[in-house]
Amino acid sequence: MSFTNLQDHEILAWLREEDGARVRELWQAADAVRAEVVGPQVHLRGLIEISNYCCRECAYCGLRAPARDVARYRMTADEILAAARQAVSFGYGTVVMQAGEDYGITREALAGTIRRIKAETPLAVTLSMGERPEEDLAAWREAGADRYLLRFETSDAELYRRIHPTPPGRAHRDRIAVLPVLRKLGYEVGSGVMIGTPGQTVASLARDIALFRALDLDMIGEGPFIAHPDTPLGGGAPRTAPEGEQVPDSARMTCSVLALTRLVCPEANIPSTTALATVDPIAGHEQGLRCGANVVMPNLTPGRYRALYSIYPDKEGIHDDPQVFHERLLARLHALGREPGAGPGNRIRRTAAG
Ligand code: SAH
């Protein structure tokens, strides 16, 4: 099996590979492509979780609307600006504002916050606000937002419907359909999937990876599914795929998916996610960075809100002070022979000859 121009059946074969030495070859091939195409820079994106209100009922997420025990918060513009200034002080080139799908964050309010960040800092701005109407997405782009993240979670239509019930009064979700809208508006477009969601088959995950290539994504976020006990997929016995077909929610599978993603989308910005560091806190972010990833998203959410953004339990680094996390991360990057990226860290595009 070669590592270039991977065909769909080869992606599937790599996902099924059980030989540890072969799996390590895959990871090393992806690391080599990462080094050649995007280099040693690791782009650091300051993550600000600006609200944990949500109107959706995603079956995996601890912030889903029916989760009555979650104390809800919404950051003020001044709090967000303070976190953005902290990102600047650490030398980060981007802030990512993420939230539940919260219509208490109005189109105008967020546009105002984006304008302030763009006027008062040199930061690139990424948004991850769920499936907002096109008018909101357009206004935020107009206000200066550069990028938008919306994971499609799975390309298996049946599983997708099962884990994304449509709440009354909300439009049916089709996250894949939103991606061309984001592209048309001029955003850099990010998507991705969870790995090991109950019911996710290896064959469907192979199709997800092939779809990343077809969509020509600029950013691809992937992390292991982590069961949240207060959700339909967390408590009791969730419906899994047949023996041998269910994707494991392991760090090892996540690393192979990161590697395959780098091989099929060599130019993409690919984070080593907090979810990966959560399932393997010892190896932490490093293992993702050695299997194709080139981005880390340090959490800059103020300490008093951090634990309330509980999409899954026991999030890695939840109690870390941003300064402490930052210094440890720089030391780890140095030990890996990598360096923090400078500037906004947009998706690079190789010339046609590349
Ligand atoms: N409301 C935004 C942000 C959601 S949180 C949106 O809908 O895009 C960002 C990502 O966290 C989700 O896209 C999902 O892939 C991941 N996530 C949510 N719950 C999770 C869980 N229990 N385990 C692992 N990842 C989870």
Side-chain angles (χ1 to χ4, degrees):
M1 262 190 289
S2 80
F3 295 111
T4 51
N5 284 324
L6 285 178
Q7 303 302 301
D8 295 7
H9 70 273
E10 294 173 299
I11 296 174
L12 180 57
W14 276 116
L15 292 176
R16 292 196 196 283
E17 180 62 60
E18 285 181 356
D19 182 282
R22 294 281 294 146
V23 169
R24 275 192 299 282
E25 270 178 54
L26 171 70
W27 297 357
Q28 282 161 9
D31 195 45
V33 168
R34 185 276 310 155
E36 182 202 327
V37 180
V38 299
Q41 289 82 23
V42 175
H43 297 296
L44 305 180
R45 326 286 206 196
L47 176 65
I48 315 175
E49 296 155 332
I50 66 173
S51 162
N52 70 351
Y53 285 90
C54 193
C55 64
R56 296 283 179 180
E57 301 186 3
C58 305
Y60 45 85
C61 181
L63 300 183
R64 61 203 305 275
R68 305 254 175 260
D69 292 342
V70 178
R72 306 282 173 166
Y73 73 90
R74 187 178 295 126
M75 288 173 65
T76 65
D78 285 341
E79 288 173 325
I80 296 168
L81 262 290
R85 279 190 282 272
Q86 194 172 29
V88 176
S89 79
F90 292 143
Y92 302 164
T94 299
V95 279
V96 180
M97 287 190 270
Q98 188 180 88
E101 196 165 316
D102 173 15
Y103 290 88
I105 300 177
T106 63
R107 181 189 308 165
E108 294 72 25
L110 188 59
T113 305
I114 295 164
R115 274 191 221 97
R116 278 187 65 189
I117 295 173
K118 297 304 277 191
E120 298 174 30
T121 78
L123 293 165
V125 171
T126 303
L127 301 177
S128 176
M129 308 295 294
E131 281 180 76
R132 301 280 300 226
E134 182 169 346
E135 295 73 21
D136 296 4
L137 302 172
W140 298 336
R141 174 78 190 124
E142 181 88 356
D146 302 279
R147 312 186 186 120
Y148 204 98
L149 301 174
L150 187 73
R151 292 188 184 176
F152 62 74
E153 314 296 0
T154 176
S155 60
D156 172 339
E158 211 272 310
L159 175 62
Y160 183 90
R161 268 195 304 278
R162 192 142 35 95
I163 64 179
H164 296 120
T166 307
R170 295 255 77 88
H172 168 69
R173 305 170 71 95
D174 181 355
R175 295 181 146 229
I176 294 173
V178 180
L179 302 176
V181 176
L182 295 168
R183 181 79 75 193
K184 178 191 77 181
L185 292 171
Y187 284 101
E188 275 200 353
V189 179
S191 194
V193 297
M194 286 183 296
I195 296 160
T197 310
Q200 183 184 45
T201 62
V202 181
S204 79
L205 181 55
R207 285 192 293 272
D208 298 344
I209 296 169
L211 185 57
F212 298 155
R213 174 166 50 195
L215 292 167
D216 188 29
L217 295 172
D218 304 307
M219 305 170 283
I220 303 162
E222 306 166 304
F225 164 79
I226 300 171
H228 191 302
D230 302 333
T231 63
L233 287 190
R239 180 138 54 106
T240 58
E243 176 80 21
E245 288 304 312
Q246 171 65 43
V247 176
D249 52 4
S250 64
R252 177 179 141 130
M253 180 54 94
T254 302
C255 286
S256 289
V257 174
L258 288 172
L260 289 163
T261 301
R262 173 60 65 196
L263 291 169
V264 304
C265 298
E267 303 170 347
N269 281 319
I270 302 176
S272 181
T273 55
T274 305
L276 174 59
T278 299
V279 295
D280 191 346
I282 309 282
H285 288 289
E286 282 103 316
Q287 54 179 340
L289 291 173
R290 296 170 68 173
C291 299
N294 71 320
V295 170
V296 173
M297 297 166 63
N299 196 325
L300 300 181
T301 308
R304 60 191 172 285
Y305 301 134
R306 201 75 82 74
L308 301 177
Y309 199 81
S310 51
I311 53 182
Y312 51 78
D314 303 322
K315 252 160 83 187
E316 198 269 345
I318 192 121
H319 303 298
D320 286 350
D321 174 71
Q323 177 77 41
V324 173
F325 182 92
H326 178 62
E327 282 163 17
R328 201 173 54 205
L329 181 61
L330 290 186
R332 289 174 165 189
L333 293 184
H334 185 73
L336 286 175
R338 308 280 278 277
E339 59 196 55
N346 292 333
R347 180 236 181 117
I348 55 106
R349 282 184 190 273
R350 293 189 291 184
T351 52

